Amino acid sequence: QSVLTQPPSVSGAPGQRVTISCTGSSSNIGAGFDVHWYQQLPGTAPKLLIYANSNRPSGVPDRFSGSKSGTSASLAITGLHGEDEADYYCQSLDSSLNVYVFGTGTMVTVL
Amino acid sequence: EVQLVESGGGLVQPGGSLRLSCAASGFSFSNSWMHWVRQAPGKGLEWVANIKPEGSENAYVDSVKGRFTVSRDNAKNSLYLQMNSLRAEDSAMYYCARDRASGASDIWGQGTMVTVSS
């Protein structure tokens, strides 16, 4: 049972904006620990999309953006593309469990 | 080329052991924290363990403590995961990953599949 909760699925038409929430608690996101986001295409390894809440690694399109507030974080995808269909996971550190934790994962569908 | 390549997965009976390896190239392995992450078929990601660059410090998820041991050989640019007393619930794809900072993994291997079944 993950301590970071994400919606199971979100969908949008090409060109639209979608957001994925990641809800934690005072022992992880609320404690000030960084949130990272990953994209996992079917049958492949995860890819780092956003690190330290809002930073994009080199090569990640600026359509992807991250934010954090209180005990939650969000990933936004603007101008949705067909190739954005994938699973997305948030990640943070949990001080009460003393481990890194991943979110429950969100499947993005492009209609 | 920057890459991580896992090996050592396979089919093992409950109670058995496996040793996973992860070969690193193209980056400074000896200066990098490293992680093992697993994913059961059709399920989400689960962080398993990590290890400090010098190998002197590591951490594990509760479900594997006392059964799994993470280690590294910086001279060989290699990371290992010794898995003992394997259970059916350990069946998963196991990935090794490089920590770029504060737990963010920016380099991942292709994964190696572990199946625990009689």
Side-chain angles (χ1 to χ4, degrees), chain A:
Chain A
Q1 200 78 3
S2 177
V3 297
L4 301 180
T5 303
Q6 301 178 230
S9 64
V10 299
S11 61
Q16 283 191 329
R17 179 179 188 269
V18 296
T19 61
I20 302 170
S21 60
C22 174
T23 303
S25 68
S26 58
S27 63
N28 41 68
I29 299 174
F33 296 115
D34 286 337
V35 178
H36 319 298
W37 290 91
Y38 300 88
Q39 176 193 61
Q40 188 177 32
L41 298 171
T44 69
K47 170 190 172 183
L48 182 65
L49 211 56
I50 298 288
Y51 67 95
N53 309 315
S54 59
N55 298 280
R56 281 186 309 275
S58 171
V60 173
D62 59 7
R63 305 185 290 105
F64 296 92
S65 62
S67 63
K68 176 184 142 179
S69 178
T71 58
S72 295
S74 290
L75 173 73
I77 310 174
T78 56
L80 202 58
H81 285 35
E83 59 262 35
D84 297 334
E85 273 205 349
D87 293 323
Y88 293 80
Y89 295 89
C90 59
Q91 180 201 21
S92 188
L93 180 65
D94 190 281
S95 58
S96 64
L97 299 173
N98 209 29
V99 298
Y100 288 101
V101 289
F102 285 96
T104 48
T106 299
M107 179 184 300
V108 169
T109 302
V110 181
L111 302 171

Side-chain angles (χ1 to χ4, degrees), chain B residues 17-32:
Chain B
S17 298
L18 273 180
R19 188 195 195 205
L20 306 184
S21 299
C22 170
S25 59
F27 66 94
S28 180
F29 177 78
S30 61
N31 290 324
S32 301

Side-chain angles (χ1 to χ4, degrees), chain B residues 19-22 29 36 51 69-74 76-82:
Chain B
R19 188 195 195 205
L20 306 184
S21 299
C22 170
F29 177 78
W36 285 101
I51 186 167
T69 303
V70 58
S71 63
R72 64 193 296 159
D73 184 338
N74 288 341
K76 295 183 177 179
N77 284 343
S78 292
L79 176 72
Y80 306 102
L81 186 67
Q82 177 67 43

